């Protein structure tokens, strides 16, 4: 009988400790999230020398570890923000035309892939150890898809011209600047890219004789 009582008591203690551990983990999660959000907020502010900010195609040439200030817009062909990590993509709005589909921005079909690639840049926010902060930057200080931004920082140690990554030090959300991008949502091949139209359009079927490779987007 005493043995049974001891076993019951031991199991009760184990269950109690497990509940305490779970509660501690649950309580620590919001604190960690708040700390990450606070850290991310510290990256937002006024960028010095933003009038001399480079376009993305030029900023991409900056060597690893070198400082650069770049301007762009949060656009892209995939999800712009990473989930659970603080990095996102920006593109040059003069070349990468934003098209709204299913409440997400995508690049316009008429922009050749090599032009898109040459005018996109990955931005990441890292901690003191150089590790990407484990929280999405989406929504921090109101940052969202299609925002125009100026960002200063240093190119990541492993950044290359073909796969450039900028470690942001300061991010400023700015007003739209003048570009050569279409104002009515239409790209050079005449398709209407406004309000999610063109989502089910067979581009190849309608433009079999249309040479997109020959198109050259207007430069800034």
């Amino acid at each position: 009988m005493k043995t049974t009582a001891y076993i019951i008591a031991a199991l009760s203690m184990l269950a109690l400790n497990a509940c305490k551990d779970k509660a501690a983990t649950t309580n620590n999660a919001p604190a960690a999230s708040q700390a990450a959000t606070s850290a991310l907020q510290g990256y937002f502010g006024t960028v010095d020398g933003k009038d001399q900010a480079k376009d993305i195609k030029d900023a991409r040439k900056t060597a690893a570890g070198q400082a650069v200030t770049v301007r762009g817009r949060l656009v892209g062909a995939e999800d712009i923000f990473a989930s659970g990590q603080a990095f996102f993509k920006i593109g040059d709005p003069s070349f990468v035309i934003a098209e709204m589909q299913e409440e997400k921005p995508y690049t316009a079909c008429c922009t050749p892939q090599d032009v898109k690639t040459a005018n996109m840049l990955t931005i990441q926010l890292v901690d003191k150890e150089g590790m990407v902060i484990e929280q999405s930057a989406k929504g921090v200080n109101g940052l969202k898809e299609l925002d125009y931004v100026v960002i200063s920082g240093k190119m990541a140690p492993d950044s290359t011209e073909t796969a450039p990554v900028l470690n942001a030090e300061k991010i400023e959300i700015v007003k739209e600047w003048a570009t050569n991008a279409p104002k009515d949502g239409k790209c050079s091949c005449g398709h209407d890219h406004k309000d999610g139209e063109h989502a089910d359009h067979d581009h190849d079927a309608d433009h079999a004789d249309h040479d997109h490779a020959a198109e050259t987007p207007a430069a800034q």
Side-chain angles (χ1 to χ4, degrees), residues 173-189:
I173 301 172
V174 297
K175 294 181 179 180
E176 177 182 358
W177 58 82
T179 72
N180 292 325
K183 297 299 182 183
D184 59 356
K186 293 183 179 180
C187 64
S188 57
C189 62

Side-chain angles (χ1 to χ4, degrees), residues 60 95 111-120 212-215 217:
R60 287 172 59 98
F95 297 94
T111 307
Q113 184 58 49
D114 60 332
V115 175
K116 294 178 189 178
T117 300
N119 291 280
M120 297 291 294
H212 286 257
E215 295 178 352

Side-chain angles (χ1 to χ4, degrees), residues 151-205:
I151 303 173
S152 62
K154 293 181 179 179
M155 301 304 285
D158 57 352
S159 177
T160 65
E161 188 173 341
T162 55
V165 178
L166 175 63
N167 285 347
E169 295 176 358
K170 191 65 66 177
I171 301 170
E172 182 176 354
I173 301 172
V174 297
K175 294 181 179 180
E176 177 182 358
W177 58 82
T179 72
N180 292 325
K183 297 299 182 183
D184 59 356
K186 293 183 179 180
C187 64
S188 57
C189 62
H191 292 149
D192 189 348
H193 290 279
K194 295 174 66 177
D195 302 323
E197 297 177 18
H198 193 61
D200 58 355
H201 187 80
D202 187 347
H203 188 275
D204 294 332

